[in-house]
Amino acid sequence: MAKIVGTITTSHVPAIGGAIAKGLQNDPYWKPFFDGFPPVRDWLASVKPDVVVVAYNDHGLNFFLDKMPTFAIGAAPEYRNADEGWGIPVVPPFQGDPALSWHMIESLVAEDFDLVTCQEMSVDHAFTLPMALLWPEQKWPVRTVPVVVNTVQSPLPSAARCYKLGQAIGRAIASWPGDERVVVLGTGGLSHQLDGERAGFINKDFDLKFMESLVNDPTWATQYSTVELVELAGTQGVELLNWLVARGTLPNKVRQVHVNYHIPISNTASGLQVLEPA
Ligand code: DHB
Ligand code: FE
């Protein structure tokens, strides 16, 4: 039986790619952000995952506004990054795990989650930069399964639905006969708004409450509609839906291994949290 050894949830700002390319990890602006990651890499070295399931939102590289699935899942042997227009270097391709992907698809569709299945899929900064923060040498030692959530174009899936998708992914992985060790990585958020009258909006109180809730009261955020979450966290802060997918894969009782929070990275409040089953 495959086992989820824990979750990592983190922000995914394109400027991180530029900072990595320029070697700015110890620059005063960037240091409080990058310093969050060595403990996560130590934890990864101890839990030794074989597979990373990545819950994230695509920003127009693979899906555009003309065709926007609410939920999609990769079932490809390989996932490639490409130039998204942020001026950040393209990272090496990621190995997929088609057998596990198809098992997850079978299990999720049987549970009435009607995901779009993608046998070809490119992955954008929301997938690649968190991976590059976890494995800075960019020699990925894991296979990957992308799970894409629409946090971009209204109507978005509800927080409750995203949490339930995570629970169903947890059951799918638990019923896989292999002995893989799986980490679930959720990317995006925390509070930020890139456009409109509230551009630059950050809500530290909400972010800290949200991260605390994932430890002690994991369905707390599901009381809010997606419109309310946009009000609380910003139009792009609603990317926290990906954190709820990740959190849903864990049992109710968890242990917080690591947490970091820093404002701002570009326009974003950056959060980082590692949880494992208690
Ligand atoms: C920024 C944040 C994002 O989540 C994103 O996808 C693009 C840009 C930013 O803060 O610059
Ligand atoms: Fe984003």
Side-chain angles (χ1 to χ4, degrees):
M1 194 174 97
K3 184 174 179 218
I4 297 179
V5 293
T7 60
I8 303 169
T9 41
T10 175
S11 307
H12 66 222
V13 179
I16 298 163
I20 292 172
K22 294 186 196 117
L24 297 180
Q25 288 85 343
N26 288 313
D27 178 275
Y29 180 87
W30 286 102
K31 194 170 164 38
F33 169 77
F34 281 101
D35 278 356
F37 286 88
V40 185
R41 295 197 283 267
D42 291 346
W43 177 78
L44 281 170
S46 71
V47 297
K48 296 183 180 58
D50 306 292
V51 178
V52 177
V53 173
V54 189
Y56 71 104
N57 57 290
D58 181 90
H59 301 70
L61 182 68
N62 190 71
F63 300 115
F64 198 61
L65 303 181
D66 59 337
K67 301 178 196 74
M68 182 57 67
T70 302
F71 296 122
I73 182 168
E78 183 179 85
Y79 303 98
R80 287 183 173 266
N81 183 212
D83 184 1
E84 301 172 57
W86 298 102
I88 55 179
V90 169
V91 305
F94 298 85
Q95 196 190 341
D97 189 336
L100 179 59
S101 284
W102 282 113
H103 168 77
M104 288 171 63
I105 291 163
E106 296 276 356
S107 178
L108 291 166
V109 173
E111 289 203 40
D112 300 331
F113 284 92
D114 308 315
L115 298 93
V116 171
T117 56
C118 303
Q119 297 182 60
E120 273 184 12
M121 189 180 222
S122 44
V123 290
D124 80 352
H125 69 273
F127 182 114
T128 62
L129 294 179
M131 290 292 286
L133 290 162
L134 301 181
W135 289 286
E137 293 181 0
Q138 302 189 11
K139 290 180 185 136
W140 322 116
V142 288
R143 303 189 297 281
T144 58
V145 178
V147 174
V148 184
V149 178
N150 170 27
T151 70
V152 172
Q153 175 164 257
S154 185
L156 311 183
S158 71
R161 185 70 173 154
C162 290
Y163 191 85
K164 285 178 186 158
L165 174 65
Q167 291 178 308
I169 290 172
R171 288 188 288 272
I173 291 168
S175 66
W176 174 242
D179 57 6
E180 283 85 348
R181 299 167 65 77
V182 179
V183 163
V184 182
L185 171 62
T187 91
L190 290 175
S191 62
H192 63 299
Q193 171 143 347
L194 301 178
D195 40 32
E197 283 178 13
R198 289 204 312 168
F201 175 79
I202 298 253
N203 186 346
K204 181 177 178 180
D205 289 344
F206 173 81
D207 291 338
L208 295 180
K209 171 67 199 165
F210 176 65
M211 289 200 290
E212 181 273 321
S213 78
L214 295 186
V215 183
N216 297 312
D217 184 11
T219 58
W220 173 78
T222 67
Q223 71 181 293
Y224 297 114
S225 70
T226 52
V227 171
E228 288 169 329
L229 286 172
V230 165
E231 279 168 8
L232 287 163
T235 39
Q236 282 74 35
V238 76
E239 291 174 341
L240 62 80
L241 292 173
N242 302 314
W243 289 49
L244 288 173
V245 174
R247 177 60 184 91
T249 67
L250 291 177
N252 209 35
K253 290 222 179 321
V254 295
R255 191 175 78 81
Q256 179 169 275
V257 177
H258 179 63
V259 68
N260 191 52
Y261 182 79
H262 175 67
I263 298 171
I265 286 303
S266 186
N267 296 295
T268 298
S270 98
L272 171 64
Q273 191 172 35
V274 179
L275 303 175
E276 53 181 29

